[in-house]
Amino acid sequence: MTKWMQESGPDNDIIISSRIRLARNVEDFPFPVALTKGKSKEVAKVVSDAILQGKSTLRNDFELITLEEVSQLERQVLVEKHLISPTLATNYEKGAALLNKDESVSIMINEEDHIRIQCLLPGFQLDEAWDIANKIDDVIEEEVKYAFDENLGYLTSCPTNVGTGIRASVMIHLPALTMTGYINRILQAASQIGLAVRGIYGEGTEFAGNLFQISNQLTLGRNEKDIIGNLKDVTRQIIQKERDARSTLLSNNGIQLKDRVYRAFGILCNARILSSQECMKLLSDVRLGIDVGLLEDINIDNVNEIMVMTQPAYLQKIAGKALSSNERDIRRASLVREKLGK
Amino acid sequence: MLCEKCHKRQATVHLTKILNNKKTEIHLCDQCAKQNEAVAFDTSFSINNFLASILDSIQDSPIKVDYVKATKCDYCGMTYGKFKQLGRLGCSKCYNAFEEKLNTLIKRIQGSESHIGKIPKRAGGSLRIKNEIKELKIKLNDAVRNEAYEEAAVLRDKIKDLEKNIKE
């Protein structure tokens, strides 16, 4: 069960998920970039023991995954569910992850930093995600002495994370702002006030299916509450703008919007071959259709789930074998039809 | 200047490339430039390259570049040159080893040099107490100004206790 995929959260007509990530390092060990394989196992043990052998009740909730011991496909599925980063999947020889039962928390070990605590919740729940990540940070810190400096705060492998080590982000669906072309102004404005906007799989990826990730850029000189507060304020404004754009589209170009939504739904229900990109684009339109009340029989959580399940590794996991690109496109189409009940 | 390739249109793209100390210059028009691979940007733009370019632009440090390049972190062996290349530090002690240059970089990318967020209980022990003393001193000044001497005495004792803790 992956909480963010399968449950609804506040403002989930626009915000798909909220994430808090904290970067921490264990004192007296080189950072992962300079760490030998042997030492990296030591770090993994220190960190996992802090959770699994610690005094807190968390120990019953978490499971350790040593990435070297699982298949390449399993690692890719974890990436598609956003539980580990593509970087960690590539450096699997040194890496591990602690996952809790509902997969709302993953603690990446030996990614860019020794410890990356990530809390991922459905909908707009940044404060809730921070509370959870903060508590887990406290639990680990009871057993592990962090690399910390009085002036610079938490010391991290990259100076862009030093200080609080916090990255707060929301995954946001903005089809109406994209359609109306207003999106570029929003992106520009966001970057001017210290926020970064990216594609959903992090650095260097394209905007797939009108999904954007907005996050804080600065980690030093502000406290965690202010960083999160700033992101929340801006996100709230963007939500409002997207809602306005949706209702304008509906009242001014109702027929075009309906055409687009119903066509997308029609293709998804009937296609026999679906590429990953086409699928994301059509699902984005269907999601919009549900949000503005044009499609009533489908659940939004269902769409979120399809978005993840139709990714390449996930499809192969369901199939239980490696699939060629063409085979995936056929299976993707059939999975979508099944999920939409057609 | 005319385009070197088509020799028809005006050259608008001027590229200077220095490779192994050899300098080459290319002058092309818009259209030919689009087809020329040498003009295409190095596409692997990443945060590491970006950091490296900021590092290069920091010239106001009194330390000579050659010296800085050779500076090495005694703990993990990372050199400043390697850090520039990777964009990643080797260990927490690199922050001290490269302090002079690094602090300028941090100030430039973060807009600040001082942490005001969460402080870990263990690693940040004395800092937590120092912050507490700072807050108590402000309260003490207020109390004295308001002639609340009993309260001031309590605050003064608390500060003394905390200061003892730091020394121990």
Side-chain angles (χ1 to χ4, degrees):
Chain A
M1 286 293 273
T2 309
K3 196 180 173 86
W4 77 267
M5 283 161 55
Q6 282 161 335
E7 274 179 37
S8 296
D11 296 301
N12 79 330
D13 55 333
I14 291 168
I15 306 289
I16 294 180
S17 60
S18 303
R19 162 158 57 184
I20 296 288
R21 185 220 71 193
L22 300 176
R24 301 286 186 256
N25 286 285
V26 186
E27 200 176 65
D28 296 331
F29 278 98
F31 294 150
V33 69
L35 206 56
T36 60
K37 199 175 165 186
K39 282 271 179 195
S40 69
K41 300 279 172 210
E42 279 180 49
V43 172
K45 180 153 172 41
V46 168
V47 179
S48 58
D49 280 359
I51 294 285
L52 301 175
Q53 313 287 329
K55 292 172 228 114
S56 138
T57 51
L58 288 177
R59 67 174 181 272
N60 303 318
D61 200 28
F62 276 86
E63 188 197 352
L64 177 71
I65 298 178
T66 306
L67 291 175
E68 204 177 24
E69 287 168 11
V70 300
S71 69
Q72 153 82 19
L73 188 62
E74 288 290 335
R75 292 194 288 267
Q76 208 45 48
V77 169
L78 292 172
V79 173
E80 288 174 2
K81 285 160 114 182
H82 302 279
L83 297 175
I84 66 170
S85 68
T87 313
L88 191 66
T90 316
N91 300 331
Y92 63 89
E93 285 189 323
K94 293 182 185 176
L98 286 152
L99 302 181
N100 70 342
K101 289 207 178 92
D102 67 8
E103 298 185 343
S104 59
V105 177
S106 72
I107 303 166
M108 286 183 255
I109 304 177
N110 293 329
E111 208 248 16
E112 189 180 296
D113 295 294
H114 292 141
I115 305 172
R116 290 211 159 175
I117 304 164
Q118 176 190 279
C119 180
L120 183 58
L121 295 178
F124 199 18
Q125 300 194 72
L126 282 170
D127 288 330
E128 292 79 357
W130 158 245
D131 281 343
I132 295 169
N134 190 25
K135 281 195 188 103
I136 289 168
D137 184 38
D138 289 342
V139 168
I140 298 176
E141 207 241 323
E142 292 214 354
E143 310 294 332
V144 176
K145 192 165 186 199
Y146 286 150
F148 183 84
D149 176 83
E150 290 201 358
N151 298 316
L152 291 174
Y154 294 94
L155 301 176
T156 51
S157 169
C158 183
T160 52
N161 292 314
V162 79
T164 55
I166 196 173
R167 197 74 65 201
S169 65
V170 289
M171 200 206 287
I172 185 165
H173 185 226
L174 302 173
L177 288 174
T178 308
M179 267 181 233
T180 51
Y182 201 71
I183 192 76
N184 289 329
R185 281 158 67 185
I186 304 255
L187 302 188
Q188 224 170 14
S191 70
Q192 276 166 358
I193 49 171
L195 298 175
V197 185
R198 297 191 186 132
I200 54 167
Y201 290 104
E203 234 172 88
T205 53
E206 286 177 19
F207 305 128
N210 300 321
L211 291 174
F212 299 85
Q213 181 183 294
I214 307 177
S215 59
N216 68 299
Q217 279 179 303
L218 303 180
T219 52
L220 186 66
R222 297 181 191 190
N223 68 30
E224 293 82 357
K225 282 250 141 63
D226 290 344
I227 289 170
I228 294 166
N230 183 31
L231 179 64
K232 270 167 59 184
D233 290 345
V234 173
T235 304
R236 246 186 242 116
Q237 290 182 44
I238 296 177
I239 291 175
Q240 197 48 52
K241 291 261 185 299
E242 170 69 19
R243 288 203 177 122
D244 291 347
R246 287 179 186 188
S247 59
T248 310
L249 273 178
L250 206 54
S251 54
N252 296 352
N253 296 298
I255 189 72
Q256 276 91 340
L257 186 64
K258 275 183 192 162
D259 184 66
R260 181 165 171 160
V261 167
Y262 292 136
R263 266 173 197 273
F265 186 60
I267 295 173
L268 287 175
C269 290
N270 294 291
R272 265 34 186 185
I273 298 172
L274 269 180
S275 76
S276 165
Q277 215 172 357
E278 184 184 15
C279 185
M280 277 303 258
K281 191 173 153 286
L282 296 171
L283 284 171
S284 166
D285 289 345
V286 164
R287 202 177 199 283
L288 175 65
I290 300 169
D291 294 338
V292 298
L294 290 174
L295 292 168
E296 287 174 344
D297 299 338
I298 323 163
N299 192 324
I300 203 91
D301 305 336
N302 212 346
V303 176
N304 289 348
E305 206 184 344
I306 297 174
M307 278 182 172
V308 176
M309 290 179 82
T310 51
Q311 303 282 314
Y314 214 107
L315 279 175
Q316 298 180 71
K317 191 194 163 193
I318 300 170
K321 59 176 181 183
L323 301 170
S324 71
S325 156
N326 193 34
E327 284 170 327
R328 289 202 298 269
D329 291 352
I330 295 167
R331 290 210 180 223
R332 183 177 292 116
S334 122
L335 180 89
V336 171
R337 290 200 309 276
E338 186 193 314
K339 283 275 164 192
L340 293 177
K342 301 285 163 178
Chain B
M1 186 186 293
L2 283 178
C3 170
E4 282 177 8
K5 200 174 172 201
C6 63
H7 303 289
K8 285 179 201 152
R9 291 174 289 264
Q10 197 67 26
T12 52
V13 177
H14 308 279
L15 186 80
T16 311
K17 210 173 181 178
I18 301 172
L19 199 67
N20 301 328
N21 291 327
K22 258 191 186 166
K23 188 171 154 188
T24 46
E25 287 185 6
I26 307 172
H27 307 279
L28 298 170
C29 67
D30 275 355
Q31 288 180 34
C32 292
K34 272 180 199 156
Q35 289 156 8
N36 188 312
E37 278 182 21
V39 183
F41 288 103
D42 290 332
T43 45
S44 62
F45 178 82
S46 70
I47 191 77
N48 308 8
N49 306 135
F50 192 57
L51 281 182
S53 71
I54 297 178
L55 283 165
D56 285 332
S57 75
I58 297 173
Q59 297 297 342
D60 47 2
S61 163
I63 296 182
K64 286 235 160 57
V65 174
D66 289 346
Y67 171 66
V68 169
K69 258 188 191 157
T71 306
K72 199 171 170 183
C73 170
D74 288 336
Y75 187 75
C76 70
M78 177 74 74
T79 61
Y80 192 76
K82 182 121 189 261
F83 162 60
K84 268 184 62 177
Q85 195 189 329
L86 291 174
R88 303 275 183 274
L89 294 158
C91 71
S92 56
K93 306 201 171 39
C94 290
Y95 279 94
N96 282 329
F98 310 138
E99 190 179 3
E100 185 118 9
K101 275 269 183 175
L102 204 51
N103 283 359
T104 319
L105 171 76
I106 288 170
K107 183 148 194 225
R108 193 165 294 190
I109 54 180
Q110 296 276 2
S112 167
E113 289 170 299
S114 41
H115 176 62
I116 54 166
K118 186 175 177 176
I119 298 166
K121 284 189 196 81
R122 281 152 56 103
S126 73
L127 182 59
R128 284 170 87 96
I129 299 171
K130 278 186 201 160
N131 281 357
E132 205 177 322
I133 292 174
K134 224 187 270 171
E135 275 170 33
L136 286 174
K137 280 190 176 162
I138 295 170
K139 276 187 194 160
L140 175 64
N141 282 342
D142 284 350
V144 172
R145 202 178 309 126
N146 299 330
E147 298 179 8
Y149 297 114
E150 271 177 40
E151 193 193 334
V154 174
L155 288 166
R156 183 201 56 208
D157 292 345
K158 261 193 194 169
I159 292 171
K160 270 191 183 161
D161 278 349
L162 288 172
E163 280 174 340
K164 242 187 262 166
N165 276 342
I166 293 183
K167 275 170 200 150
E168 281 163 12

